[in-house]
Amino acid sequence: MLESLKERYPGAETFQFGDNRALCDELLALVRSGRKTATCGALRDFATGGEAMPQAGRRDIALDWDGRPALVIETVEVTVRRYCDVDEAFALAEGENDSLEGWREDHRRYFERNGGFDPKMELVCERFRLVEDLAGKG
């Protein structure tokens, strides 16, 4: 299935949301519901040999925790900003929290688990739209 998806979406990168099965499942469900239209990651993770930097207009394939294609998203905007400069509009677009404070707490813990946290760390902030839900296909 992944090969045929890559033929349909040339240049697509593959990635997983979150750093564990429960979080991955939760985030995929939030995208499917339309509540999650943004995501972010530490800029350090996009260094040479790391994840591919998101690009506006590119369609990418989100995998479930077992590596099966789950969703196709299209990046609509990419900005780099410091964690301390993320605003409420972006935090709420991530769909995981009901407040900027909740977003800050959850993301601080996430970054502490995944390479370290600094309030001035740079984040790659991506807004996207759901193109295709692959649930039940394949």
Side-chain angles (χ1 to χ4, degrees):
M1 179 180 189
L2 186 56
E3 294 75 27
S4 64
L5 280 171
K6 287 196 168 207
E7 287 175 19
R8 285 202 345 247
Y9 300 107
E13 296 289 336
T14 58
F15 71 97
Q16 288 176 314
F17 285 110
D19 62 351
N20 60 66
R21 179 181 299 276
L23 184 56
C24 182
D25 291 348
E26 175 188 344
L27 299 179
L28 289 171
L30 287 168
V31 173
R32 287 184 171 112
S33 74
R35 187 165 171 205
K36 182 172 183 63
T37 58
T39 193
C40 71
L43 181 61
R44 65 177 175 244
D45 296 337
F46 295 91
T48 305
E51 292 182 50
M53 192 76 163
Q55 297 174 3
R58 190 178 72 208
R59 293 178 172 185
D60 292 330
I61 303 160
L63 306 174
D64 67 15
W65 197 249
D66 294 320
R68 293 183 303 257
L71 306 169
V72 177
I73 63 167
E74 180 179 339
T75 301
V76 296
E77 178 187 74
V78 179
T79 58
V80 175
R81 62 182 96 160
R82 297 181 311 170
Y83 167 91
C84 59
D85 294 332
V86 170
D87 61 14
E88 185 175 52
F90 186 85
L92 296 179
E94 284 215 42
E96 301 161 51
N97 303 98
D98 295 324
S99 69
L100 178 58
E101 294 74 26
W103 179 93
R104 285 184 174 151
E105 178 63 22
D106 286 353
H107 282 72
R108 179 187 56 76
R109 285 196 309 260
Y110 175 85
F111 292 124
E112 285 174 348
R113 292 193 308 266
N114 291 282
F117 170 77
D118 182 310
K120 294 183 179 173
M121 67 189 290
E122 291 188 304
L123 304 181
V124 176
C125 298
E126 174 185 6
R127 290 183 181 270
F128 60 85
R129 69 177 188 87
L130 177 61
V131 173
E132 187 175 355
D133 184 348
L134 303 167
K137 297 182 181 178

